[in-house]
Amino acid sequence: MKKIIFAAAFLSCIACTGNKQEIEVSNDSQIDRTEEMVSIDAASLTVAAPGAFRILDAEGKELPYQLTYDNRIIFPASVKAGSSAVYTVTAGEPALIDTLVWGRQFPERKDDMAWENDRSAYRAYGPALQQSGERAFGYDIWTKSVSKPVLEKRFALDKNEHISFHVDHGEGMDVYAVGPTLGGGTTALLDSLGNIVYPYCYQNYEILDNGPLRFTVRLDYGPVSVDGDTAVIEHRLISLDRGSWLNRTEVNYEGLSHVAKLTPGIVVHKQNPEGYTLGEGYMAYADSTENAANGNGVIFVGVVSPESKGYMYQQLAEPTGDAIGHIIAPVDYENGKTFTYYWGSGWSKGGMPDTDTWNAYLKTFSESLKSPLKVTVK
């Protein structure tokens, strides 16, 4: 098992050319962008090294930032539709900020990989669970009704005091059913007959960013067999930002000798068999949880897949547990290529009130991807 945690890398200060610089962020779309994470090459800043400068908006308010594993500076920008905003970088010690985005492996719970931001929490299952014989293939969703971190507390209470994280103790819970399905937005290959070739649990991991604004983890899956290729390996690069309802995920495969079909998928449960939406640029499902009468609320699950040409419902040949099918978004995939999509969740008791609001968010997010913010360092 590989575990590498990259702290914010040290960046030597380039010879300073002044005591401030400006960053212009332009929004050519017709959508207001609010606290959307933008990035610049860290080497483009000559004021000071990370940790020795501040980023200020037009009103002089200081913004948080993070140096990422790939030597980018990220910070949240707010820009009205069809306009631009200018941010100033000045030398000085930045203010301390709360870490609301983080994750780690939890070997105390069969080496789950779990991460969270101020909106939701997520879990991917590892080798220990696979070795136990339990079948859980997809991403798990943990609801939150608070912005503060909850993972450490929930795992500790469950293990040490037998206070189950499957019950809402006032901050949310784990009440999403995964099992042998794609769960809350996992990718999988399709064989020549259109059957899902389920990935099992991750085999290796590497945490690249661990807050305060972004969590990034690389997970390796496989090998799996598909249409005669018997050693297909999958790599996933998952990032979650502060304030976002969606994870950004890059997927690529090794070992495919043919063009295959690849799809993200969301499991559909019998409690709400028609609760899915196949929209323009997104797909969504309102999951009413295993015990809908227990006051668990509704978990809204979504996928935005810019490369997919269509979305569809696929019934399970043999329903398992409460799962009866998936909504999927297939694309053609060639070995070694990178497929990028977005997946995530909201909760009716945690800031996402209803299906219409969730679907509108996904539609707007999909539209915004067509016109990314333009960032220029002056």
Side-chain angles (χ1 to χ4, degrees):
M1 178 61 56
K2 179 168 60 175
K3 179 180 181 181
I4 303 176
I5 298 181
F6 286 81
F10 175 79
L11 180 68
S12 296
C13 180
I14 304 171
C16 295
T17 59
N19 60 1
K20 71 176 183 178
Q21 284 180 273
E22 290 185 345
I23 303 171
E24 183 177 47
V25 183
S26 300
N27 178 9
D28 295 336
S29 76
Q30 298 306 304
I31 302 170
D32 291 344
R33 315 292 266 270
T34 304
E35 295 195 344
E36 182 172 321
M37 213 65 70
V38 297
S39 76
I40 59 172
D41 183 352
S44 66
L45 292 184
T46 58
V47 173
F53 66 78
R54 303 162 69 219
I55 300 178
L56 309 176
D57 67 12
E59 285 72 45
K61 177 185 176 182
E62 183 175 354
L63 302 178
Y65 66 85
Q66 178 182 329
L67 176 64
T68 62
Y69 79 97
D70 51 353
N71 215 36
R72 307 288 296 181
I73 299 290
I74 61 171
F75 66 94
S78 297
V79 192
K80 293 290 186 180
S83 65
S84 62
V86 176
Y87 298 88
T88 303
V89 183
T90 64
E93 184 177 350
L96 296 175
I97 59 174
D98 292 334
T99 296
L100 301 180
V101 188
W102 81 288
R104 72 171 175 89
Q105 189 193 57
F106 286 84
E108 58 266 44
R109 220 307 301 193
K110 296 183 178 178
D111 61 26
D112 294 344
M113 174 61 64
W115 64 99
E116 65 182 313
N117 68 356
D118 49 325
R119 305 289 195 185
S120 302
Y122 303 95
R123 176 165 60 159
Y125 301 106
L129 184 133
Q130 182 168 336
Q131 292 165 9
S132 75
E134 183 177 345
R135 286 157 37 96
F137 303 149
Y139 297 129
D140 190 20
I141 296 168
W142 284 24
T143 64
K144 290 181 63 173
S145 56
V146 294
S147 61
K148 65 182 180 180
V150 299
L151 286 176
E152 203 73 69
K153 177 181 176 181
R154 288 190 195 176
F155 276 107
L157 289 176
D158 188 83
K159 178 178 175 60
N160 301 325
E161 300 183 34
H162 307 292
I163 298 175
S164 174
F165 50 59
H166 297 290
V167 177
D168 185 4
H169 302 287
E171 299 178 347
M173 58 189 157
D174 172 23
V175 71
Y176 184 72
V178 180
T181 75
L182 295 179
T186 309
T187 46
L189 294 170
L190 301 176
D191 66 18
S192 57
L193 299 177
N195 300 310
I196 295 172
V197 181
Y198 290 101
Y200 215 153
C201 301
Y202 73 82
Q203 299 302 310
N204 300 291
Y205 77 95
E206 187 175 5
I207 293 177
L208 303 173
D209 294 315
N210 213 352
L213 301 181
R214 174 174 293 170
F215 172 81
T216 304
V217 63
R218 180 177 289 117
L219 300 175
D220 300 325
Y221 287 78
V224 298
S225 299
V226 54
D227 294 333
D229 292 327
T230 59
V232 180
I233 303 296
E234 177 187 4
H235 306 286
R236 303 180 195 170
L237 186 68
I238 304 169
S239 293
L240 180 63
D241 289 347
R242 192 185 78 173
S244 179
W245 298 98
L246 300 176
N247 296 267
R248 183 183 190 274
T249 300
E250 297 179 6
V251 178
N252 65 78
Y253 287 87
E254 300 175 8
L256 283 171
S257 62
H258 63 288
V259 176
K261 290 286 187 183
L262 166 67
T263 186
I266 299 172
V267 64
V268 174
H269 291 117
K270 67 181 182 181
Q271 288 86 352
N272 194 11
E274 298 180 356
Y276 58 86
T277 302
L278 305 178
E280 184 176 345
Y282 71 93
M283 60 183 181
Y285 180 60
D287 195 298
S288 51
T289 75
E290 294 174 280
N291 186 354
N294 199 38
N296 295 331
V298 177
I299 301 173
F300 302 105
V301 192
V303 163
V304 175
S305 179
E307 296 179 44
S308 297
K309 304 303 181 184
Y311 300 85
M312 65 187 72
Y313 173 77
Q314 183 183 74
Q315 186 172 341
L316 288 176
E318 296 182 6
T320 174
D322 292 337
I324 59 173
H326 291 93
I327 46 175
I328 59 175
V331 298
D332 291 330
Y333 179 81
E334 296 182 20
N335 187 67
K337 299 293 184 179
T338 297
F339 168 71
T340 303
Y341 76 110
Y342 303 81
W343 61 276
S345 65
W347 189 34
S348 62
K349 300 174 72 174
M352 186 56 63
D354 51 45
T355 294
D356 289 345
T357 305
W358 178 241
N359 290 352
Y361 169 79
L362 295 175
K363 182 178 180 180
T364 299
F365 186 94
S366 176
E367 288 296 317
S368 70
L369 292 176
K370 300 174 185 178
S371 185
L373 296 176
K374 297 177 182 178
V375 185
T376 304
V377 180
K378 297 183 177 182

